[in-house]
Every structure is written in structure tokens, then in C-alpha cells.
């Protein structure tokens, strides 16, 4: 599965995850997700990132089915929403995700937000992994503090932690913690959610000129060389295509250091802020159609 175009990263459970994927957050479930995922697969992506709370698992699944690409060549990530934490609700939610996606198994399934009965949800995920419904299991949005709060209660160490990551938000303390157990970091907002200040950083512009790449490709290449799994999102075919074209050049050690120096040590999203769990629960009702 590893090619120059589709390199993989080995997880601590032995699975090989494609290093770059396609994100579907905020792409509507009105045909837009189906079209974008189908386009991404046609352009060579083999890793699709969705979630129950993105409300588009059905279109992701349909695009995969209609792509004609063998199932074992596509890596699918989905995530469990807070409403379904606890062992019994999570067990049902996993089956519901499989049904919506139209798949026999999900390659990677994550605890989407670190609040509430996370240990109960994790037990359900471990059982589903043993049953072959989930290949790899992981967490998302866990700071070092939240990691220390929950993960010591888990029997299985997560394979990944999906968090905000880009050159302004490099998560150094978290990465040091994860490295001890060979847990890989996945980046949401790998392009800083289109932050123009980031794209216009002089060092990024200079490197883009040197390598005949755009700013986004420089950022994604930096993240890839840092060992971070990325899944940029776009609904534009040209951008979907260009985001994958990052494996035909390599940043030097000095250039990597220049980009590391952009780190602010801050993030847009603070998972430890008071009221985050309540706000998220209020914003996303994944059972509205039940």
C-alpha cells in the first residue's frame, strides 16, 4: 500500500495508516460530501476522515461504494459523539456508524471529545475492535492533562490522538507525551483553517517560491515530515488535487527548524475551557433524526 504517492505511517497496533487523508468536516450531506469524496478517491486519496457529528457518514459510504476501489485499499476514520458515551450507548453507536457507512468494519474509530463517560465508551470500542468491527481505536482533542485523566483507565493504549495542529499550533508537550507510547498525532486544521497570516508568513512564501509549490503544500509537507497524519479539506477539485502533491520534494533540516520556529504554543480551541462539553452537546444532536 505504501507508494511514493500514498506513503503510510505505522501505528502502535501494527496497522499502516495513509499519511495524508481527505477531511469532510462541514461539507454538507446534500450531495456535496458524496461528490467531494468521490473526487478525492479519483485523485488518489485512500484515507477519508468523517464523524457521526459531521452528519455525512452516509454520503462518505456511498462514495466509497461507487468508487469501485477495493474496500481494503481505503482507510476510513469515524468518531463517536459525546451523546453516545458509556458502554451500552457506544456499542449501539458503533453499529449505527457501520450501517450508515455501509461497511463491515471501520479502519479507525475515535472518541471525538474527551468528556463524560470516556472509559465506558472506550470499553465498547475495545470490544468492537476484538469483534473485528474496528481495526484501530484512538482519541481526539486530548490535551496532556485530559490524556492523563483518562488514558490510564484504558486497557488498550490509543493508536492516535487527533488534535488541532499546524505551524502556529505544534503541540510540543503533547507530542512528547504521546511519543513515549508511540501514539501518532493526527492534525485537524492542518492548514490553520485557511489562516491568511499563516499562509503569508515570509518563510512559507520563500519556501513556496524555492520549491515551486503553494503555501498550503509547504505547510502540509512540513507536517508530514514531522510524522503527523494530515487530512486537509476542500470541495474544489484543483485544491483537493494539489493538497496531495507534497511527496516530490523534501524540506531540509534547516528549513524544518525555520518552520518549527513559527510555533506560538497556543491553539484556537481549548478542550480544557469551562463549558466546552455542554456547548458541544448543545450544538450537535446526533439523534435528531431518530
Amino acid at each position: 500500500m505504501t507508494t511514493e504517492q500514498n506513503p503510510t505511517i505505522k501505528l502502535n497496533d501494527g496497522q499502516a495508516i495513509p499519511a495524508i487523508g481527505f477531511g469532510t468536516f462541514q461539507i454538507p450531506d446534500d450531495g456535496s460530501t458524496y461528490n467531494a469524496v468521490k473526487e478525492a478517491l479519483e485523485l488518489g486519496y485512500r484515507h477519508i476522515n468523517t464523524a457521526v457529528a459531521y452528519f455525512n457518514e452516509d454520503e462518505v459510504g456511498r462514495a466509497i461504494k461507487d468508487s469501485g476501489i477495493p474496500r481494503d485499499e481505503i482507510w476510513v476514520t469515524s468518531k463517536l459523539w459525546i451523546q453516545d458515551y458509556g458502554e451500552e450507548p457506544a456499542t449501539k453507536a458503533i453499529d449505527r456508524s457501520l450501517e450508515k457507512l455501509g461497511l463491515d468494519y471501520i479502519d479507525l474509530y475515535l472518541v471525538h471529545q474527551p468528556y463524560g463517560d470516556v472509559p465506558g465508551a472506550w470499553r465498547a470500542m475495545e470490544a468492537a475492535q476484538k469483534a473485528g468491527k474496528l481495526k484501530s481505536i484512538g482519541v481526539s482533542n486530548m490535551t496532556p492533562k485530559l490524556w492523563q485523566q483518562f488514558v490510564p483507565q484504558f486497557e488498550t493504549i490509543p493508536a492516535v490522538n487527533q488534535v488541532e495542529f499546524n505551524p502556529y499550533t505544534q503541540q510540543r508537550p503533547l507530542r512528547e507525551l504521546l511519543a513515549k507510547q508511540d501514539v501518532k498525532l493526527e492534525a485537524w486544521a492542518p492548514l490553520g483553517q485557511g489562516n491568511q497570516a499563516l499562509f503569508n508568513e515570509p518563510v512559507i512564501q520563500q519556501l513556496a517560491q524555492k520549491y515551486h509549490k503553494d503555501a498550503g503544500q509547504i505547510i502540509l509537507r512540513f507536517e508530514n515530515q514531522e510524522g503527523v497524519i494530515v487530512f486537509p479539506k476542500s470541495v474544489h477539485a484543483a485544491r483537493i488535487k494539489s493538497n496531495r502533491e507534497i511527496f516530490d520534494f523534501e524540506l531540509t533540516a534547516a528549513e524544518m527548524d525555520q518552520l518549527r520556529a513559527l510555533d506560538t504554543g497556543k491553539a484556537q480551541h481549548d478542550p480544557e475551557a469551562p463549558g466546552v462539553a455542554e456547548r458541544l452537546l448543545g450544538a450537535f444532536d446526533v439523534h435528531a433524526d431518530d
Side-chain angles (χ1 to χ4, degrees):
M1 191 173 170
T2 301
T3 66
E4 193 183 304
Q5 281 71 41
N6 271 315
T8 59
I9 289 173
K10 184 67 78 75
L11 300 178
N12 60 14
D13 60 9
Q15 301 283 346
I17 185 171
I20 187 164
F22 181 71
T24 63
F25 178 51
Q26 290 179 328
I27 305 183
D29 197 45
D30 59 2
S32 307
T33 297
Y34 175 83
N35 291 332
V37 171
K38 203 149 181 289
E39 182 89 51
L41 291 168
E42 281 165 13
L43 289 168
Y45 285 84
R46 293 296 180 267
H47 175 180
I48 309 296
N49 182 75
T50 183
V52 175
Y54 295 178
F55 302 99
N56 58 17
E57 286 176 307
D58 57 331
E59 290 197 9
V60 168
R62 217 153 37 81
I64 288 167
K65 187 182 175 191
D66 293 352
S67 72
I69 298 162
R71 170 68 186 97
D72 62 1
E73 290 180 19
I74 301 174
W75 181 285
V76 181
T77 297
S78 194
K79 310 176 195 76
L80 180 72
W81 192 238
I82 320 170
Q83 267 172 289
D84 292 321
Y85 287 7
E87 203 158 348
E88 197 180 325
T91 302
K92 289 177 185 165
I94 291 164
D95 287 341
R96 202 156 49 239
S97 273
L98 285 164
E99 194 181 325
K100 280 195 174 172
L101 287 159
L103 300 176
D104 295 328
Y105 66 90
I106 298 168
D107 298 270
L108 175 63
Y109 199 70
L110 307 178
V111 174
H112 201 159
Q113 301 288 348
Y115 314 106
D117 188 5
V118 174
W122 192 256
R123 285 193 298 275
M125 287 162 62
E126 287 173 326
Q129 185 181 35
K130 284 178 183 135
K133 294 176 181 180
L134 310 174
K135 297 285 187 186
S136 295
I137 54 177
V139 298
S140 186
N141 294 303
M142 279 199 183
T143 60
K145 183 181 173 184
L146 289 161
W147 180 275
Q148 301 285 25
Q149 181 184 334
F150 289 116
V151 176
Q153 301 176 59
F154 297 172
E155 193 180 310
T156 312
I157 297 298
V160 307
N161 185 9
Q162 186 181 119
V163 296
E164 183 181 352
F165 183 94
N166 56 66
Y168 281 167
T169 306
Q170 294 184 36
Q171 302 280 8
R172 284 192 185 141
L174 178 64
R175 285 159 73 201
E176 281 173 28
L177 177 67
L178 299 182
K180 291 173 186 168
Q181 292 169 307
D182 193 26
V183 178
K184 294 296 183 282
L185 190 136
E186 286 191 318
W188 62 257
L191 296 171
Q193 293 177 318
N195 184 335
Q196 287 309 300
L198 175 62
F199 278 66
N200 291 322
E201 282 287 347
V203 62
I204 290 173
Q205 288 295 322
Q206 287 156 16
L207 291 171
Q209 205 171 354
K210 174 183 170 180
Y211 289 107
H212 307 290
K213 293 289 179 181
D214 62 38
Q217 289 167 320
I218 296 298
I219 293 166
L220 292 169
R221 182 61 182 163
F222 164 70
E223 293 163 348
N224 172 259
Q225 286 184 223
E226 287 287 80
V228 172
I229 300 153
V230 297
F231 28 87
K233 181 204 83 176
S234 180
V235 293
H236 305 292
R239 178 64 61 200
I240 293 170
K241 183 174 184 288
S242 68
N243 283 340
R244 267 190 80 248
E245 294 170 346
I246 62 169
F247 301 113
D248 55 356
F249 73 105
E250 190 164 344
L251 299 167
T252 67
E255 288 163 353
M256 290 293 288
D257 282 340
Q258 285 180 289
L259 292 167
R260 288 182 188 118
L262 296 175
D263 187 24
T264 64
K266 298 190 184 89
Q268 297 292 314
H269 173 61
D270 177 9
E272 293 175 27
V276 174
E278 291 76 14
R279 194 166 69 248
L280 289 168
L281 263 174
F284 299 94
D285 178 4
V286 300
H287 296 307
D289 297 333
D290 289 2

